[in-house]
Amino acid sequence: QKEVEQDPGPLSVPEGAIVSLNCTYSNSAFQYFMWYRQYSRKGPELLMYTYSSGNKEDGRFTAQVDKSSKYISLFIRDSQPSDSATYLCAINTGGFKTIFGAGTRLFVKA
Amino acid sequence: DAGVIQSPRHEVTEMGQEVTLRCKPISGHDYLFWYRQTMMRGLELLIYFNNNVPIDDSGMPEDRFSAKMPNASFSTLKIQPSEPRDSAVYFCASSKELGTSGSNEQFFGPGTRLTVL
């Protein structure tokens, strides 16, 4: 079993839709939960991070962690064509060795 | 700052040839990472350095791969001999020690797209 599981998609939605992206993980020691966004032909960039359980909101983006279920989510409200990218969940125990999910390709159609 | 710089951006080589990928981390960052990204396996950590010292190389696939960091502003990833299955995008990333707080954000370079024929 992989330490982080993420559906690669692709996920295609119309502009304005609410997008839900998810990952599951297996190691309960993980404490930091991150979402990276990767545009085509570019390197990943940190979008949001959450420590332990709970929600974190930043504009149209909300990151959610449920440690009891080992489940993390990223919600995008009012999705825009500029949100089209690959979204990678990433987790670590607080150190520098970060494990990335496979990434979900998102397409937002105008 | 210019961000993490990688060269070359694209490399096409033939099986059996030596390939050297280069990375310049962000100034002041004391961690450097090498990743490989493929459709099948996603983003995999190959090796990372702290203050120029290799800390964890357990992700290096086999002896054909080697990485060095001779100083704080330069690192190389070498593949010798290269094989078609090495074809992937190789990313370098750097990070700064943040103590006990923060996510230890990694800043990625643009990647080197390697094709081994």
Side-chain angles (χ1 to χ4, degrees), chain A residues 37-58:
Chain A
R37 179 173 60 193
Q38 183 177 19
Y39 289 113
S40 180
R41 307 272 175 171
K42 303 283 187 184
E45 295 178 299
L46 181 66
L47 184 62
M48 295 184 72
Y49 81 88
T50 309
Y51 172 70
S52 195
S53 283
N55 292 0
K56 186 171 184 179
E57 190 172 319
D58 184 2

mmCIF file with all atom_site columns, all heavy atoms in Angstrom, chain A residues 37-58:
data_model
loop_
_atom_site.group_PDB
_atom_site.id
_atom_site.type_symbol
_atom_site.label_atom_id
_atom_site.label_alt_id
_atom_site.label_comp_id
_atom_site.label_asym_id
_atom_site.label_entity_id
_atom_site.label_seq_id
_atom_site.pdbx_PDB_ins_code
_atom_site.Cartn_x
_atom_site.Cartn_y
_atom_site.Cartn_z
_atom_site.occupancy
_atom_site.B_iso_or_equiv
_atom_site.pdbx_formal_charge
_atom_site.auth_seq_id
_atom_site.auth_comp_id
_atom_site.auth_asym_id
_atom_site.auth_atom_id
_atom_site.pdbx_PDB_model_num
ATOM 1   N N   . ARG A 1 37 ? 0.426   23.000 -6.191  1.00 0.00 ? 37 ARG A N   1
ATOM 2   C CA  . ARG A 1 37 ? -0.188  23.154 -7.501  1.00 0.00 ? 37 ARG A CA  1
ATOM 3   C C   . ARG A 1 37 ? 0.925   23.158 -8.536  1.00 0.00 ? 37 ARG A C   1
ATOM 4   O O   . ARG A 1 37 ? 1.957   23.824 -8.355  1.00 0.00 ? 37 ARG A O   1
ATOM 5   C CB  . ARG A 1 37 ? -0.980  24.465 -7.576  1.00 0.00 ? 37 ARG A CB  1
ATOM 6   C CG  . ARG A 1 37 ? -1.652  24.752 -8.903  1.00 0.00 ? 37 ARG A CG  1
ATOM 7   C CD  . ARG A 1 37 ? -2.539  25.982 -8.795  1.00 0.00 ? 37 ARG A CD  1
ATOM 8   N NE  . ARG A 1 37 ? -1.780  27.158 -8.408  1.00 0.00 ? 37 ARG A NE  1
ATOM 9   C CZ  . ARG A 1 37 ? -2.357  28.294 -7.993  1.00 0.00 ? 37 ARG A CZ  1
ATOM 10  N NH1 . ARG A 1 37 ? -3.675  28.384 -7.897  1.00 0.00 ? 37 ARG A NH1 1
ATOM 11  N NH2 . ARG A 1 37 ? -1.601  29.322 -7.669  1.00 0.00 ? 37 ARG A NH2 1
ATOM 12  N N   . GLN A 1 38 ? 0.708   22.432 -9.616  1.00 0.00 ? 38 GLN A N   1
ATOM 13  C CA  . GLN A 1 38 ? 1.721   22.324 -10.665 1.00 0.00 ? 38 GLN A CA  1
ATOM 14  C C   . GLN A 1 38 ? 1.084   22.626 -12.010 1.00 0.00 ? 38 GLN A C   1
ATOM 15  O O   . GLN A 1 38 ? 0.243   21.858 -12.492 1.00 0.00 ? 38 GLN A O   1
ATOM 16  C CB  . GLN A 1 38 ? 2.356   20.926 -10.675 1.00 0.00 ? 38 GLN A CB  1
ATOM 17  C CG  . GLN A 1 38 ? 3.469   20.768 -11.692 1.00 0.00 ? 38 GLN A CG  1
ATOM 18  C CD  . GLN A 1 38 ? 4.133   19.400 -11.641 1.00 0.00 ? 38 GLN A CD  1
ATOM 19  O OE1 . GLN A 1 38 ? 3.568   18.446 -11.111 1.00 0.00 ? 38 GLN A OE1 1
ATOM 20  N NE2 . GLN A 1 38 ? 5.341   19.301 -12.172 1.00 0.00 ? 38 GLN A NE2 1
ATOM 21  N N   . TYR A 1 39 ? 1.482   23.744 -12.607 1.00 0.00 ? 39 TYR A N   1
ATOM 22  C CA  . TYR A 1 39 ? 1.044   24.065 -13.955 1.00 0.00 ? 39 TYR A CA  1
ATOM 23  C C   . TYR A 1 39 ? 1.886   23.271 -14.943 1.00 0.00 ? 39 TYR A C   1
ATOM 24  O O   . TYR A 1 39 ? 3.003   22.850 -14.655 1.00 0.00 ? 39 TYR A O   1
ATOM 25  C CB  . TYR A 1 39 ? 1.168   25.565 -14.223 1.00 0.00 ? 39 TYR A CB  1
ATOM 26  C CG  . TYR A 1 39 ? 0.156   26.397 -13.466 1.00 0.00 ? 39 TYR A CG  1
ATOM 27  C CD1 . TYR A 1 39 ? 0.544   27.277 -12.460 1.00 0.00 ? 39 TYR A CD1 1
ATOM 28  C CD2 . TYR A 1 39 ? -1.198  26.304 -13.759 1.00 0.00 ? 39 TYR A CD2 1
ATOM 29  C CE1 . TYR A 1 39 ? -0.371  28.042 -11.762 1.00 0.00 ? 39 TYR A CE1 1
ATOM 30  C CE2 . TYR A 1 39 ? -2.133  27.067 -13.066 1.00 0.00 ? 39 TYR A CE2 1
ATOM 31  C CZ  . TYR A 1 39 ? -1.709  27.932 -12.075 1.00 0.00 ? 39 TYR A CZ  1
ATOM 32  O OH  . TYR A 1 39 ? -2.625  28.686 -11.381 1.00 0.00 ? 39 TYR A OH  1
ATOM 33  N N   . SER A 1 40 ? 1.340   23.113 -16.140 1.00 0.00 ? 40 SER A N   1
ATOM 34  C CA  . SER A 1 40 ? 1.996   22.317 -17.167 1.00 0.00 ? 40 SER A CA  1
ATOM 35  C C   . SER A 1 40 ? 3.405   22.834 -17.443 1.00 0.00 ? 40 SER A C   1
ATOM 36  O O   . SER A 1 40 ? 3.614   24.043 -17.592 1.00 0.00 ? 40 SER A O   1
ATOM 37  C CB  . SER A 1 40 ? 1.160   22.355 -18.449 1.00 0.00 ? 40 SER A CB  1
ATOM 38  O OG  . SER A 1 40 ? 1.764   21.593 -19.451 1.00 0.00 ? 40 SER A OG  1
ATOM 39  N N   . ARG A 1 41 ? 4.348   21.940 -17.495 1.00 0.00 ? 41 ARG A N   1
ATOM 40  C CA  . ARG A 1 41 ? 5.751   22.248 -17.783 1.00 0.00 ? 41 ARG A CA  1
ATOM 41  C C   . ARG A 1 41 ? 6.427   23.123 -16.721 1.00 0.00 ? 41 ARG A C   1
ATOM 42  O O   . ARG A 1 41 ? 7.423   23.798 -16.998 1.00 0.00 ? 41 ARG A O   1
ATOM 43  C CB  . ARG A 1 41 ? 5.890   22.938 -19.150 1.00 0.00 ? 41 ARG A CB  1
ATOM 44  C CG  . ARG A 1 41 ? 5.229   22.191 -20.283 1.00 0.00 ? 41 ARG A CG  1
ATOM 45  C CD  . ARG A 1 41 ? 6.146   21.198 -20.887 1.00 0.00 ? 41 ARG A CD  1
ATOM 46  N NE  . ARG A 1 41 ? 5.498   20.381 -21.900 1.00 0.00 ? 41 ARG A NE  1
ATOM 47  C CZ  . ARG A 1 41 ? 6.156   19.554 -22.696 1.00 0.00 ? 41 ARG A CZ  1
ATOM 48  N NH1 . ARG A 1 41 ? 7.467   19.444 -22.599 1.00 0.00 ? 41 ARG A NH1 1
ATOM 49  N NH2 . ARG A 1 41 ? 5.518   18.831 -23.591 1.00 0.00 ? 41 ARG A NH2 1
ATOM 50  N N   . LYS A 1 42 ? 5.880   23.124 -15.513 1.00 0.00 ? 42 LYS A N   1
ATOM 51  C CA  . LYS A 1 42 ? 6.464   23.899 -14.411 1.00 0.00 ? 42 LYS A CA  1
ATOM 52  C C   . LYS A 1 42 ? 6.692   22.985 -13.217 1.00 0.00 ? 42 LYS A C   1
ATOM 53  O O   . LYS A 1 42 ? 6.193   21.857 -13.160 1.00 0.00 ? 42 LYS A O   1
ATOM 54  C CB  . LYS A 1 42 ? 5.507   25.030 -13.986 1.00 0.00 ? 42 LYS A CB  1
ATOM 55  C CG  . LYS A 1 42 ? 5.120   25.984 -15.092 1.00 0.00 ? 42 LYS A CG  1
ATOM 56  C CD  . LYS A 1 42 ? 6.231   26.944 -15.388 1.00 0.00 ? 42 LYS A CD  1
ATOM 57  C CE  . LYS A 1 42 ? 5.752   28.001 -16.366 1.00 0.00 ? 42 LYS A CE  1
ATOM 58  N NZ  . LYS A 1 42 ? 6.854   28.915 -16.756 1.00 0.00 ? 42 LYS A NZ  1
ATOM 59  N N   . GLY A 1 43 ? 7.437   23.495 -12.222 1.00 0.00 ? 43 GLY A N   1
ATOM 60  C CA  . GLY A 1 43 ? 7.603   22.764 -10.984 1.00 0.00 ? 43 GLY A CA  1
ATOM 61  C C   . GLY A 1 43 ? 6.430   23.026 -10.051 1.00 0.00 ? 43 GLY A C   1
ATOM 62  O O   . GLY A 1 43 ? 5.714   24.014 -10.197 1.00 0.00 ? 43 GLY A O   1
ATOM 63  N N   . PRO A 1 44 ? 6.200   22.129 -9.092  1.00 0.00 ? 44 PRO A N   1
ATOM 64  C CA  . PRO A 1 44 ? 5.115   22.341 -8.116  1.00 0.00 ? 44 PRO A CA  1
ATOM 65  C C   . PRO A 1 44 ? 5.381   23.567 -7.242  1.00 0.00 ? 44 PRO A C   1
ATOM 66  O O   . PRO A 1 44 ? 6.531   23.904 -6.950  1.00 0.00 ? 44 PRO A O   1
ATOM 67  C CB  . PRO A 1 44 ? 5.146   21.068 -7.267  1.00 0.00 ? 44 PRO A CB  1
ATOM 68  C CG  . PRO A 1 44 ? 5.873   20.051 -8.092  1.00 0.00 ? 44 PRO A CG  1
ATOM 69  C CD  . PRO A 1 44 ? 6.862   20.832 -8.900  1.00 0.00 ? 44 PRO A CD  1
ATOM 70  N N   . GLU A 1 45 ? 4.293   24.216 -6.815  1.00 0.00 ? 45 GLU A N   1
ATOM 71  C CA  . GLU A 1 45 ? 4.385   25.358 -5.901  1.00 0.00 ? 45 GLU A CA  1
ATOM 72  C C   . GLU A 1 45 ? 3.428   25.107 -4.746  1.00 0.00 ? 45 GLU A C   1
ATOM 73  O O   . GLU A 1 45 ? 2.303   24.642 -4.952  1.00 0.00 ? 45 GLU A O   1
ATOM 74  C CB  . GLU A 1 45 ? 3.952   26.652 -6.599  1.00 0.00 ? 45 GLU A CB  1
ATOM 75  C CG  . GLU A 1 45 ? 4.843   27.097 -7.731  1.00 0.00 ? 45 GLU A CG  1
ATOM 76  C CD  . GLU A 1 45 ? 4.291   28.349 -8.387  1.00 0.00 ? 45 GLU A CD  1
ATOM 77  O OE1 . GLU A 1 45 ? 3.169   28.287 -8.917  1.00 0.00 ? 45 GLU A OE1 1
ATOM 78  O OE2 . GLU A 1 45 ? 4.984   29.385 -8.368  1.00 0.00 ? 45 GLU A OE2 1
ATOM 79  N N   . LEU A 1 46 ? 3.866   25.449 -3.530  1.00 0.00 ? 46 LEU A N   1
ATOM 80  C CA  . LEU A 1 46 ? 3.017   25.257 -2.362  1.00 0.00 ? 46 LEU A CA  1
ATOM 81  C C   . LEU A 1 46 ? 1.803   26.161 -2.449  1.00 0.00 ? 46 LEU A C   1
ATOM 82  O O   . LEU A 1 46 ? 1.911   27.372 -2.628  1.00 0.00 ? 46 LEU A O   1
ATOM 83  C CB  . LEU A 1 46 ? 3.798   25.549 -1.081  1.00 0.00 ? 46 LEU A CB  1
ATOM 84  C CG  . LEU A 1 46 ? 3.020   25.353 0.214   1.00 0.00 ? 46 LEU A CG  1
ATOM 85  C CD1 . LEU A 1 46 ? 2.675   23.878 0.407   1.00 0.00 ? 46 LEU A CD1 1
ATOM 86  C CD2 . LEU A 1 46 ? 3.824   25.866 1.414   1.00 0.00 ? 46 LEU A CD2 1
ATOM 87  N N   . LEU A 1 47 ? 0.638   25.551 -2.273  1.00 0.00 ? 47 LEU A N   1
ATOM 88  C CA  . LEU A 1 47 ? -0.620  26.300 -2.311  1.00 0.00 ? 47 LEU A CA  1
ATOM 89  C C   . LEU A 1 47 ? -1.115  26.556 -0.887  1.00 0.00 ? 47 LEU A C   1
ATOM 90  O O   . LEU A 1 47 ? -1.450  27.671 -0.521  1.00 0.00 ? 47 LEU A O   1
ATOM 91  C CB  . LEU A 1 47 ? -1.650  25.501 -3.110  1.00 0.00 ? 47 LEU A CB  1
ATOM 92  C CG  . LEU A 1 47 ? -3.007  26.115 -3.378  1.00 0.00 ? 47 LEU A CG  1
ATOM 93  C CD1 . LEU A 1 47 ? -2.872  27.386 -4.199  1.00 0.00 ? 47 LEU A CD1 1
ATOM 94  C CD2 . LEU A 1 47 ? -3.903  25.108 -4.104  1.00 0.00 ? 47 LEU A CD2 1
ATOM 95  N N   . MET A 1 48 ? -1.173  25.493 -0.094  1.00 0.00 ? 48 MET A N   1
ATOM 96  C CA  . MET A 1 48 ? -1.663  25.613 1.280   1.00 0.00 ? 48 MET A CA  1
ATOM 97  C C   . MET A 1 48 ? -1.033  24.528 2.138   1.00 0.00 ? 48 MET A C   1
ATOM 98  O O   . MET A 1 48 ? -0.676  23.464 1.637   1.00 0.00 ? 48 MET A O   1
ATOM 99  C CB  . MET A 1 48 ? -3.181  25.443 1.350   1.00 0.00 ? 48 MET A CB  1
ATOM 100 C CG  . MET A 1 48 ? -3.970  26.510 0.643   1.00 0.00 ? 48 MET A CG  1
ATOM 101 S SD  . MET A 1 48 ? -5.738  26.300 0.875   1.00 0.00 ? 48 MET A SD  1
ATOM 102 C CE  . MET A 1 48 ? -5.906  26.776 2.594   1.00 0.00 ? 48 MET A CE  1
ATOM 103 N N   . TYR A 1 49 ? -0.947  24.774 3.434   1.00 0.00 ? 49 TYR A N   1
ATOM 104 C CA  . TYR A 1 49 ? -0.558  23.703 4.339   1.00 0.00 ? 49 TYR A CA  1
ATOM 105 C C   . TYR A 1 49 ? -1.383  23.803 5.616   1.00 0.00 ? 49 TYR A C   1
ATOM 106 O O   . TYR A 1 49 ? -1.826  24.871 6.022   1.00 0.00 ? 49 TYR A O   1
ATOM 107 C CB  . TYR A 1 49 ? 0.935   23.709 4.628   1.00 0.00 ? 49 TYR A CB  1
ATOM 108 C CG  . TYR A 1 49 ? 1.392   24.688 5.670   1.00 0.00 ? 49 TYR A CG  1
ATOM 109 C CD1 . TYR A 1 49 ? 1.416   24.348 7.025   1.00 0.00 ? 49 TYR A CD1 1
ATOM 110 C CD2 . TYR A 1 49 ? 1.848   25.953 5.309   1.00 0.00 ? 49 TYR A CD2 1
ATOM 111 C CE1 . TYR A 1 49 ? 1.860   25.245 7.975   1.00 0.00 ? 49 TYR A CE1 1
ATOM 112 C CE2 . TYR A 1 49 ? 2.289   26.840 6.251   1.00 0.00 ? 49 TYR A CE2 1
ATOM 113 C CZ  . TYR A 1 49 ? 2.298   26.496 7.587   1.00 0.00 ? 49 TYR A CZ  1
ATOM 114 O OH  . TYR A 1 49 ? 2.746   27.383 8.524   1.00 0.00 ? 49 TYR A OH  1
ATOM 115 N N   . THR A 1 50 ? -1.560  22.640 6.245   1.00 0.00 ? 50 THR A N   1
ATOM 116 C CA  . THR A 1 50 ? -2.330  22.531 7.478   1.00 0.00 ? 50 THR A CA  1
ATOM 117 C C   . THR A 1 50 ? -1.556  21.666 8.449   1.00 0.00 ? 50 THR A C   1
ATOM 118 O O   . THR A 1 50 ? -0.981  20.651 8.053   1.00 0.00 ? 50 THR A O   1
ATOM 119 C CB  . THR A 1 50 ? -3.699  21.868 7.206   1.00 0.00 ? 50 THR A CB  1
ATOM 120 O OG1 . THR A 1 50 ? -4.340  22.533 6.132   1.00 0.00 ? 50 THR A OG1 1
ATOM 121 C CG2 . THR A 1 50 ? -4.588  21.954 8.432   1.00 0.00 ? 50 THR A CG2 1
ATOM 122 N N   . TYR A 1 51 ? -1.557  22.079 9.687   1.00 0.00 ? 51 TYR A N   1
ATOM 123 C CA  . TYR A 1 51 ? -0.920  21.271 10.725  1.00 0.00 ? 51 TYR A CA  1
ATOM 124 C C   . TYR A 1 51 ? -2.012  20.547 11.509  1.00 0.00 ? 51 TYR A C   1
ATOM 125 O O   . TYR A 1 51 ? -2.978  21.159 11.947  1.00 0.00 ? 51 TYR A O   1
ATOM 126 C CB  . TYR A 1 51 ? -0.100  22.147 11.666  1.00 0.00 ? 51 TYR A CB  1
ATOM 127 C CG  . TYR A 1 51 ? 0.424   21.405 12.867  1.00 0.00 ? 51 TYR A CG  1
ATOM 128 C CD1 . TYR A 1 51 ? 1.418   20.449 12.722  1.00 0.00 ? 51 TYR A CD1 1
ATOM 129 C CD2 . TYR A 1 51 ? -0.090  21.642 14.148  1.00 0.00 ? 51 TYR A CD2 1
ATOM 130 C CE1 . TYR A 1 51 ? 1.902   19.751 13.810  1.00 0.00 ? 51 TYR A CE1 1
ATOM 131 C CE2 . TYR A 1 51 ? 0.392   20.935 15.235  1.00 0.00 ? 51 TYR A CE2 1
ATOM 132 C CZ  . TYR A 1 51 ? 1.387   20.001 15.063  1.00 0.00 ? 51 TYR A CZ  1
ATOM 133 O OH  . TYR A 1 51 ? 1.856   19.304 16.145  1.00 0.00 ? 51 TYR A OH  1
ATOM 134 N N   . SER A 1 52 ? -1.888  19.233 11.605  1.00 0.00 ? 52 SER A N   1
ATOM 135 C CA  . SER A 1 52 ? -2.830  18.391 12.328  1.00 0.00 ? 52 SER A CA  1
ATOM 136 C C   . SER A 1 52 ? -4.223  18.475 11.702  1.00 0.00 ? 52 SER A C   1
ATOM 137 O O   . SER A 1 52 ? -4.366  18.732 10.519  1.00 0.00 ? 52 SER A O   1
ATOM 138 C CB  . SER A 1 52 ? -2.838  18.777 13.801  1.00 0.00 ? 52 SER A CB  1
ATOM 139 O OG  . SER A 1 52 ? -3.463  17.764 14.566  1.00 0.00 ? 52 SER A OG  1
ATOM 140 N N   . SER A 1 53 ? -5.254  18.285 12.487  1.00 0.00 ? 53 SER A N   1
ATOM 141 C CA  . SER A 1 53 ? -6.606  18.239 11.934  1.00 0.00 ? 53 SER A CA  1
ATOM 142 C C   . SER A 1 53 ? -7.213  19.627 11.811  1.00 0.00 ? 53 SER A C   1
ATOM 143 O O   . SER A 1 53 ? -6.733  20.591 12.389  1.00 0.00 ? 53 SER A O   1
ATOM 144 C CB  . SER A 1 53 ? -7.510  17.388 12.838  1.00 0.00 ? 53 SER A CB  1
ATOM 145 O OG  . SER A 1 53 ? -7.275  16.027 12.632  1.00 0.00 ? 53 SER A OG  1
ATOM 146 N N   . GLY A 1 54 ? -8.306  19.691 11.063  1.00 0.00 ? 54 GLY A N   1
ATOM 147 C CA  . GLY A 1 54 ? -9.040  20.940 10.979  1.00 0.00 ? 54 GLY A CA  1
ATOM 148 C C   . GLY A 1 54 ? -9.077  21.502 9.580   1.00 0.00 ? 54 GLY A C   1
ATOM 149 O O   . GLY A 1 54 ? -8.671  20.853 8.613   1.00 0.00 ? 54 GLY A O   1
ATOM 150 N N   . ASN A 1 55 ? -9.616  22.710 9.485   1.00 0.00 ? 55 ASN A N   1
ATOM 151 C CA  . ASN A 1 55 ? -9.763  23.403 8.211   1.00 0.00 ? 55 ASN A CA  1
ATOM 152 C C   . ASN A 1 55 ? -8.870  24.617 8.162   1.00 0.00 ? 55 ASN A C   1
ATOM 153 O O   . ASN A 1 55 ? -8.550  25.223 9.195   1.00 0.00 ? 55 ASN A O   1
ATOM 154 C CB  . ASN A 1 55 ? -11.210 23.869 8.031   1.00 0.00 ? 55 ASN A CB  1
ATOM 155 C CG  . ASN A 1 55 ? -12.180 22.716 7.847   1.00 0.00 ? 55 ASN A CG  1
ATOM 156 O OD1 . ASN A 1 55 ? -11.777 21.567 7.861   1.00 0.00 ? 55 ASN A OD1 1
ATOM 157 N ND2 . ASN A 1 55 ? -13.440 23.042 7.704   1.00 0.00 ? 55 ASN A ND2 1
ATOM 158 N N   . LYS A 1 56 ? -8.505  24.991 6.950   1.00 0.00 ? 56 LYS A N   1
ATOM 159 C CA  . LYS A 1 56 ? -7.777  26.234 6.730   1.00 0.00 ? 56 LYS A CA  1
ATOM 160 C C   . LYS A 1 56 ? -8.286  26.835 5.435   1.00 0.00 ? 56 LYS A C   1
ATOM 161 O O   . LYS A 1 56 ? -8.389  26.135 4.414   1.00 0.00 ? 56 LYS A O   1
ATOM 162 C CB  . LYS A 1 56 ? -6.277  25.973 6.639   1.00 0.00 ? 56 LYS A CB  1
ATOM 163 C CG  . LYS A 1 56 ? -5.439  27.245 6.554   1.00 0.00 ? 56 LYS A CG  1
ATOM 164 C CD  . LYS A 1 56 ? -3.982  26.906 6.677   1.00 0.00 ? 56 LYS A CD  1
ATOM 165 C CE  . LYS A 1 56 ? -3.141  28.160 6.700   1.00 0.00 ? 56 LYS A CE  1
ATOM 166 N NZ  . LYS A 1 56 ? -1.689  27.839 6.858   1.00 0.00 ? 56 LYS A NZ  1
ATOM 167 N N   . GLU A 1 57 ? -8.616  28.114 5.478   1.00 0.00 ? 57 GLU A N   1
ATOM 168 C CA  . GLU A 1 57 ? -9.185  28.769 4.309   1.00 0.00 ? 57 GLU A CA  1
ATOM 169 C C   . GLU A 1 57 ? -8.258  29.869 3.821   1.00 0.00 ? 57 GLU A C   1
ATOM 170 O O   . GLU A 1 57 ? -7.654  30.607 4.604   1.00 0.00 ? 57 GLU A O   1
ATOM 171 C CB  . GLU A 1 57 ? -10.550 29.358 4.677   1.00 0.00 ? 57 GLU A CB  1
ATOM 172 C CG  . GLU A 1 57 ? -11.365 29.852 3.505   1.00 0.00 ? 57 GLU A CG  1
ATOM 173 C CD  . GLU A 1 57 ? -12.785 30.242 3.924   1.00 0.00 ? 57 GLU A CD  1
ATOM 174 O OE1 . GLU A 1 57 ? -13.379 29.526 4.741   1.00 0.00 ? 57 GLU A OE1 1
ATOM 175 O OE2 . GLU A 1 57 ? -13.250 31.281 3.428   1.00 0.00 ? 57 GLU A OE2 1
ATOM 176 N N   . ASP A 1 58 ? -8.175  29.991 2.486   1.00 0.00 ? 58 ASP A N   1
ATOM 177 C CA  . ASP A 1 58 ? -7.374  31.054 1.877   1.00 0.00 ? 58 ASP A CA  1
ATOM 178 C C   . ASP A 1 58 ? -8.058  31.440 0.577   1.00 0.00 ? 58 ASP A C   1
ATOM 179 O O   . ASP A 1 58 ? -7.907  30.761 -0.438  1.00 0.00 ? 58 ASP A O   1
ATOM 180 C CB  . ASP A 1 58 ? -5.942  30.572 1.613   1.00 0.00 ? 58 ASP A CB  1
ATOM 181 C CG  . ASP A 1 58 ? -5.049  31.676 1.062   1.00 0.00 ? 58 ASP A CG  1
ATOM 182 O OD1 . ASP A 1 58 ? -5.526  32.829 0.910   1.00 0.00 ? 58 ASP A OD1 1
ATOM 183 O OD2 . ASP A 1 58 ? -3.876  31.410 0.773   1.00 0.00 ? 58 ASP A OD2 1
#
